[in-house]
Amino acid sequence: MILRLLFLALVVLPFTLVGLPIQALILAFNRPGWTILPRMFFKLMAFGLGLRVKIVGAPVKNGPVLLVANHISWLDIPAIASKFPVCFVAKSEIANWPVVGFMARLQKTVFVNRDRRTDAGRTASEMKDRIEEGSNVLLFAEGTSDIGTHVLPFRSALMGAARQAMAEGTGREVVVQPMTIAYTALSGLPLSRHERPKVAWIGDMGVGDNLKTILSSGPKDVTIAFGDPIRGDGDRKTIAKTAEREVRRMLVALNRGQPLQ
């Protein structure tokens, strides 16, 4: 834990202090290459937090693509963003968090108020803008995080609104691609159910306690798997169910150490 704290304090923090104003200027003047600094930052974060990330498959590259995934922990964010550039869709409360909210904006995060149905249209429009810029957009479709042993029902409303808005903005049908996040091992040993609180964000768990547990635990193996893309021209509820089944199938296989078919 001490070594990780030293790395975060002596490497990640200085990089952040130098990189934040540079990133702000890049976005303010709409310069290319805005994904470079965030990706470097998340690579350092992933290393400092003990994440060992493995990728299975790849996101569709001839977009527009809407990635939909399960959600287990805030560790999902550095794990994913350390491997490829992506714009996250996050709950609106995060925008007001000190430092974190500011940093999320510098990565072009789209914020959504899940308690207001009328917010779906605005959020979908912002997601469309990210796609038009050539960015990957990732939606944690469960709407919350879970322990990582199963997948909660996917919410179809925002998925459907985003798909429609992006299709209208790009003039092309949007492909929906399932993506699964699985924490499979801790210190090289299979992750048991009672050890999952060492990585998962569960219930009303406090930030301080969760961070302390993560820093004091061993290396954490994370697998990010991409499923077959789903055509986006069907019923949104059907698409959500299909994506949910695929994410669940991949999660079960990864948790059991089985190869993905």
Side-chain angles (χ1 to χ4, degrees):
M1 179 176 178
I2 294 176
L3 290 177
R4 286 185 182 160
L5 285 173
L6 286 174
F7 181 83
L8 293 174
L10 299 179
V11 179
V12 178
L13 181 58
F15 179 88
T16 304
L17 294 176
V18 174
L20 282 179
I22 297 175
Q23 180 71 0
L25 288 173
I26 291 173
L27 293 181
F29 289 97
N30 197 28
R31 305 305 300 169
W34 70 269
T35 62
I36 296 174
L37 285 177
R39 189 168 181 182
M40 292 173 63
F41 168 78
F42 283 115
K43 281 184 177 295
L44 292 172
M45 278 291 291
F47 179 80
L49 295 169
L51 300 179
R52 301 190 298 200
V53 186
K54 175 184 177 182
I55 301 294
V56 178
V60 175
K61 296 187 181 299
N62 59 343
V65 181
L66 174 63
L67 296 166
V68 292
N70 61 315
H71 191 21
I72 298 171
S73 168
W74 60 270
L75 291 175
D76 300 348
I77 294 171
I80 295 167
S82 68
K83 290 299 181 181
F84 63 96
V86 64
C87 293
F88 293 96
V89 180
K91 59 183 181 181
S92 57
E93 293 93 325
I94 293 177
N96 299 319
W97 288 5
V99 183
V100 175
F102 177 66
M103 293 177 66
R105 288 190 179 91
L106 293 184
Q107 203 198 352
K108 296 191 176 183
T109 296
V110 178
F111 297 104
V112 56
N113 188 334
R114 297 184 184 275
D115 297 326
R116 294 178 55 189
R117 296 194 175 209
T118 55
D119 200 44
R122 178 201 59 79
T123 305
S125 179
E126 287 193 32
M127 293 168 71
K128 175 203 69 176
D129 294 340
R130 302 293 184 271
I131 287 287
E132 288 179 336
E133 294 170 0
S135 301
N136 297 309
V137 174
L138 174 66
L139 173 67
F140 292 119
E142 297 164 300
T144 186
S145 58
D146 193 57
I147 196 169
T149 56
H150 56 281
V151 176
L152 300 175
F154 278 11
R155 299 185 179 186
S156 63
L158 185 57
M159 189 186 304
R163 182 172 51 85
Q164 180 179 350
M166 288 188 288
E168 292 173 353
T170 60
R172 300 171 60 189
E173 191 58 57
V174 177
V175 173
V176 176
Q177 186 173 26
M179 188 181 86
T180 297
I181 304 155
Y183 293 81
T184 57
L186 187 63
S187 299
L189 298 175
L191 190 65
S192 64
R193 186 179 181 86
H194 78 272
E195 289 177 315
R196 289 196 172 274
K198 293 182 179 180
V199 295
W201 183 287
I202 306 168
D204 57 356
M205 182 182 292
V207 176
D209 292 338
N210 184 247
L211 181 59
K212 181 180 178 180
T213 300
I214 287 170
L215 291 175
S216 60
S217 60
K220 293 157 277 288
D221 291 343
V222 190
T223 298
I224 299 171
F226 294 90
D228 293 332
I230 303 167
R231 289 188 56 173
D233 55 358
D235 175 72
R236 63 178 175 84
K237 292 185 178 181
T238 301
I239 293 173
K241 284 292 185 184
T242 302
E244 178 189 322
R245 284 195 299 269
E246 178 65 3
V247 170
R248 181 178 293 110
R249 181 192 68 81
M250 292 190 291
L251 180 65
V252 170
L254 291 170
N255 283 341
R256 293 177 178 176
Q258 299 172 345
L260 297 178
Q261 300 298 324

